[in-house]
Amino acid sequence: MLLIPAIDLKDGHCVRLKQGDMDQATVFSDDPAEMARHWLAQGARRLHLVDLNGAFAGKPKNESAVRLILKAVRDFALANDVDEIPVQLGGGIRDLDTIERYLDAGLTYIIIGTAAVKNPGFLHDACSAFPGQIIVGLDAKDGKVATDGWSKLSGHEVIDLAKKFEDYGCESIIYTDIGRDGMMGGINIEATVRLAQSMTIPVIASGGVHNIKDVEALCAVQDEGIEAVICGRSIYEGTLDLQSAQLRADELSGDGSDRSSSGILDQEQS
């Protein structure tokens, strides 16, 4: 079970939202690149970036901050003699040119959310053009998929869409329960497991992580196909210590050999 720190970008700052509400943003850092270095120093093996402004605007709005983070990640890897540290980004990505530009800049994975739901043909083209590098982000409430920065609730069922996108060739699915995101009320284990059981590609859990018990609960069901969890407010407010939680997850995963599957690399920081 891989723990992935989230760096949410709003107006060039690192923030956290409550239930996706841009008016309920807590600024945790004015220097997202420094925040990336912090999480890497704490043992992060992968980073999750979100362009929040981009998600609402439908086009990239924090690209300069993303590029600074990517430089910080490359510098950290070189300084510590480790292999590539994967970085994934979502928010406002609506065309193949943007995907190509971001991948050329050093991103490992591109997350497509709203555009996947509204324009499945675009997702199909993206999966074909960039195999192994497209992740679909499905944000849901009460089993229904939300779009446009969670501001609109569609009539689509999560599992139905996930199966469709799996057929397109996406790398994995990030499943976020938006009713829990930023609230630290615990992961929706039941819904996440139900989704993972219906898929053959990995599911990444997101939304509601509060403490080590949530990590242990996910480790207990990881064999269902849940390979990672995105951590946000909990690691910023200190209810979950990233370093010790990852060590605990490694312990519960046995020898950790499955960490290299589905693109999740086994990087050890020295």
Side-chain angles (χ1 to χ4, degrees):
M1 180 66 60
L2 187 69
L3 277 61
I4 309 176
I7 300 178
D8 289 359
L9 302 167
K10 180 176 183 286
D11 305 327
H13 305 303
C14 175
V15 306
R16 292 303 298 168
L17 306 183
K18 289 187 176 180
Q19 296 180 315
D21 188 346
M22 289 286 272
D23 293 327
Q24 295 193 64
T26 302
V27 177
F28 283 101
S29 175
D30 293 328
D31 187 348
E34 180 57 37
M35 186 58 68
R37 285 188 286 269
H38 169 74
W39 295 129
L40 293 174
Q42 292 296 308
R45 302 178 183 128
R46 186 165 170 176
L47 295 178
H48 173 81
L49 313 183
V50 181
D51 182 346
L52 292 171
N53 301 106
F56 284 87
K59 58 184 178 181
K61 290 291 187 179
N62 285 280
E63 189 166 345
S64 59
V66 171
R67 288 179 178 271
L68 288 172
I69 289 171
L70 291 172
K71 182 181 184 304
V73 171
R74 287 193 297 269
D75 291 346
F76 181 90
L78 285 171
N80 290 272
D81 193 27
V82 297
D83 295 331
E84 177 191 4
I85 300 168
V87 182
Q88 58 198 42
L89 168 72
I93 298 170
R94 303 285 193 271
D95 59 74
L96 297 180
D97 288 343
T98 299
I99 294 175
E100 186 172 23
R101 187 172 73 249
Y102 269 137
L103 292 176
D104 287 345
L107 283 165
T108 313
Y109 303 105
I110 296 295
I111 303 163
I112 301 176
T114 293
V117 180
K118 290 188 167 184
N119 186 4
F122 163 60
L123 175 66
H124 190 278
D125 290 344
C127 290
S128 298
F130 309 103
Q133 295 186 286
I134 304 299
I135 295 173
V136 172
L138 291 180
D139 308 322
K141 186 174 184 180
D142 300 325
K144 302 292 186 180
V145 175
T147 62
D148 299 279
W150 302 353
S151 62
K152 298 178 182 178
L153 203 61
S154 76
H156 297 291
E157 294 285 342
V158 171
I159 291 178
D160 292 342
L161 275 184
K163 286 183 176 180
K164 178 180 179 180
F165 298 154
E166 177 181 30
D167 290 340
Y168 287 179
C170 66
E171 169 68 17
S172 56
I173 300 285
I174 296 175
Y175 174 67
T176 304
D177 185 327
I178 63 176
R180 301 192 183 209
D181 189 77
M183 306 304 289
M184 299 196 300
I187 287 278
N188 189 336
I189 296 284
E190 182 180 351
T192 306
V193 167
R194 191 161 56 245
L195 175 62
Q197 288 175 335
S198 72
M199 314 293 293
T200 59
I201 58 174
V203 170
I204 299 172
S206 175
V209 172
H210 178 55
N211 56 31
I212 191 65
K213 291 182 179 179
D214 294 315
V215 174
E216 291 173 341
L218 280 170
C219 287
V221 295
Q222 65 182 350
D223 289 344
E224 302 293 345
I226 304 168
E227 292 198 353
V229 58
I230 295 169
C231 304
R233 186 172 289 271
S234 59
I235 59 174
Y236 285 91
E237 296 193 350
T239 61
L240 180 71
D241 180 81
L242 178 68
Q243 191 166 32
S244 61
Q246 183 63 74
L247 289 172
R248 176 59 175 155
D250 292 347
E251 178 186 346
L252 293 173
S253 298
D255 63 8
S257 60
D258 62 336
R259 281 179 283 153
S260 61
S261 63
S262 303
I264 295 178
L265 306 182
D266 181 10
Q267 272 95 21
E268 298 295 344
Q269 263 47 336
S270 57

